[in-house]
Amino acid sequence: MNAYQDIYKNWQNNPYEFWLKAANAIDWSKSPKVALDPESGVYGRWFPDATGNTCYNCIDRHIAAGRGDQAAIIYDSPVTNHKSTYSYNQLFDEVTALATAIQDLGVKRGDRVIIYMPMIPQAAFAMLACARIGAIHSVVFGGFAPKELATRIDDAKPNLILSASCGIEPSRTIAYKPLLDEAIELAAHKPDSCVIFQRPECEATLDKDRDHNWRSVILATKAAGARSDYAELPATDPLYILYTSGTTGEPKGVVRDNGGHMVALQWSMGNIYNTHPGEVYWAASDVGWVVGHSYIVYGPLLQGATTVLFEGKPVGTPDAGTFWRIIEEYKVSTLFTAPTALRAIKKEDPNGVHLERYDISSLKALFLAGERADPDTIQWAEENLKVPVIDNWWQTETGWPIASNPMGIEKLPIKYGSPCLAMPGYEVQVLAEDGSQLGANELGAICIKLPLPPGCLPTLWNKDDRFQDSYLSAFPGYYETADAGFIDEDGYISIMARTDDIINVAGHRLSTGGMEEVLSAHPDVAECAVLGIADRLKGQIPIGFIILKDGTEKSALQVEGECVQLIRQKIGAVAALKMIMRVERLPKTRSGKILRGTIRKIADGADWSMPATIDDPAIFEEISAVLRARKILE
Ligand code: COA
Ligand code: AMP
């Protein structure tokens, strides 16, 4: 452990020097002399005196260094049978043309641009084009329903929305344009214009005043020969806003700044992911999630690596060998995905038969994040892939791993069930409710001592107070991760549960409180509760309980079905709430709090004890009977 420990201690002893040194890996317009200004922002701002541009660092400097013909983005789409590769030179052409086009549409530095797109290269071009001119992008996952998109439009207030005519799921083609139109209709804020990438699988009808055809706009810009130069931006300027589920109500607009983000991501590419310029890195995720932002787009491109953008699923497109085909075909050296993807493969191909068809010898390591990596899945992957399988723990808010096995520094011993040790920049502590530090192996709230390192959120979009209240107020001087867990005697961190209402469904972060809000709005629902239960494939899935209003004329079955549809309409199919059960009563404390935690334990078949504060213990038997009837409980 010496190499890691030396580096971690070096950071602890000289945090500012550590990050100023790391900042040398970035090509700045004006290099930083100051690492952190502790007085500005909510808890300080990184590299306050520096200027530069993220897009320049992702593209131009690699071309200047002779990588122009190297593949920058490989697009592989088994759902459309399409493959293409963009070299750094071609990426430059696409991004500069789009940057010029959006400037021509009136977008300026600091303006917001929403990107609502499927997994096609144009989504990455859009992010980089915004970065080039200093517009702040906000990518909204394509699986979210119009209402979710509308909430984000109202919070970010974009001048422009970049979208595509459709997304393609294995089971169906999803026309995006009607969803976009409905979202704009629902939102109070109206964007000036939309640019739509037409896909042949389902072309969209464009509004002649508001909408523009992506291809026509790009062709015209290229024909005019205009090329947007990159903007010299303060390192503290926001690069993007990424909305993530918060505790009930509005999603949280996580802000990422330009400078700290570049420094942290580039550091992580070499030191954590052991990926170097020219190597092929594949994060099998979606650009709508933080993994997609950090490790499909920005991380690999900052590092001068090749990134794979995959429009497909681990199974069914066409089979459970797809991942191995991609590794062979593009000589992928590092794969990053969510444990749920491996569980899906393992379920279909437990003996790894598909692996025999492919040569995956280019693969150096598999990284897993987004949810707890269960030891069974890790061991299965180790045995079948014959490479180190590395769990890493982080969040949308941090943007890069809080804890990992730093493969570029040294491979530390693996302890199954733990994402290993804290990375430099993060002083992780487990705190009791009163804020005191807990000892080894004691379960508590996992917190990070302030300041957070470069790359982590400096605040929430336009909501410093909410940032302070949600993350910094419970434990003064610390950032509260909302994960509970413990640290063992060797410093290994274990993440056990969320302390809020967030659940993790197939690596997707969702709020059960948000789902309850939707169910409560059904005219026949008097009361409801949604909670996450363990699921073999997706890690967790939500289940819902509803109490019907007196005098409801509809049958329970009908209301349950309508509630399932309501969640799909208001949040999106990705919420995966398919089991809604009518009950007569919900178990509550005497003060009226629904005992969701105990219901979850019962549904999971875990040990549970009768809460002392319960108003009527018989309700648990009623709930158990319903769970048995639905075969959730044996
Ligand atoms: N646009 C529209 N709909 C989408 C969507 C998108 N981008 N992504 C998912 N959906 C829909 C799916 O079609 C599905 O709809 P259905 O209920 O009508 O079938 C629903 O949302 C749930 O999707 P998903 O969670 O993907 O489940 P699945 O059963 O289709 O596939 C897995 C299961 C495990 C294969 C899949 O979840 C997976 O590949 N997960 C990888 C996890 C991942 O990338 N996480 C990101 C963080 S690293
Ligand atoms: P997201 O913001 O969508 O990346 O989700 C972050 C949350 O996912 C974390 O707060 C954890 O609850 C969970 N999570 C992410 N990675 C891991 C991991 N490696 N182990 C356990 N939980 C994880």
Side-chain angles (χ1 to χ4, degrees), residues 192-205:
D192 300 333
S193 33
C194 299
V195 178
I196 310 292
F197 186 80
Q198 296 280 21
R199 304 187 78 188
E201 291 78 10
C202 171
E203 297 228 341
T205 312

Side-chain angles (χ1 to χ4, degrees), residues 207-276:
D207 177 303
K208 70 176 175 25
D209 297 323
R210 190 197 64 196
D211 300 338
H212 304 265
N213 180 307
W214 187 302
R215 277 199 189 82
S216 316
V217 165
I218 294 297
L219 279 176
T221 315
K222 284 185 177 169
R227 283 290 179 279
S228 123
D229 204 358
Y230 60 89
E232 184 181 331
L233 303 170
T236 50
D237 255 24
L239 169 68
Y240 69 76
I241 307 164
L242 178 56
Y243 289 90
T244 189
S245 300
T247 314
T248 321
E250 306 284 285
K252 293 168 170 167
V254 168
V255 173
R256 195 84 60 210
D257 63 14
N258 274 280
H261 180 246
M262 285 194 276
V263 173
L265 282 196
Q266 179 138 10
W267 188 90
S268 73
M269 285 304 295
N271 291 284
I272 298 180
Y273 297 106
N274 195 22
T275 297
H276 305 286

Side-chain angles (χ1 to χ4, degrees), residues 379-411:
Q379 278 163 348
W380 180 87
E382 281 176 342
E383 279 159 25
N384 283 279
L385 304 183
K386 305 195 170 32
V387 294
V389 179
I390 307 300
D391 185 5
N392 56 124
W393 165 61
W394 47 296
Q395 322 178 295
T396 304
E397 288 85 345
T398 66
W400 64 285
I402 307 168
S404 184
N405 202 322
M407 294 296 283
I409 298 174
E410 64 175 324
K411 179 173 172 247

Side-chain angles (χ1 to χ4, degrees), residues 141-143 169 171-172 174 176 284-286 289 291 313-315 336-338 340-341 344 369-370 505-508 537-538 568 573-574 576 578:
F141 175 59
E169 282 293 287
S171 57
R172 62 197 189 282
I174 297 160
Y176 273 27
S285 177
D286 188 290
W289 307 114
V291 174
K313 301 260 176 176
V315 292
F336 182 155
T337 192
T340 192
V505 182
H508 308 138
L537 178 65
K538 298 194 175 191
R568 289 175 76 89
V574 72
K578 294 192 170 157

Side-chain angles (χ1 to χ4, degrees), residues 244-245 289-291 339 368-373 391-398 402-403 417-419 481-484 494-498 502-504 507-510:
T244 189
S245 300
W289 307 114
V290 71
V291 174
L368 297 176
E371 53 170 330
R372 185 167 182 274
D391 185 5
N392 56 124
W393 165 61
W394 47 296
Q395 322 178 295
T396 304
E397 288 85 345
T398 66
I402 307 168
S418 162
T481 64
D483 280 319
S494 286
I495 309 299
M496 305 311 288
R498 289 282 303 195
I502 300 294
I503 57 169
N504 215 308
H508 308 138
R509 174 168 158 179
L510 296 158

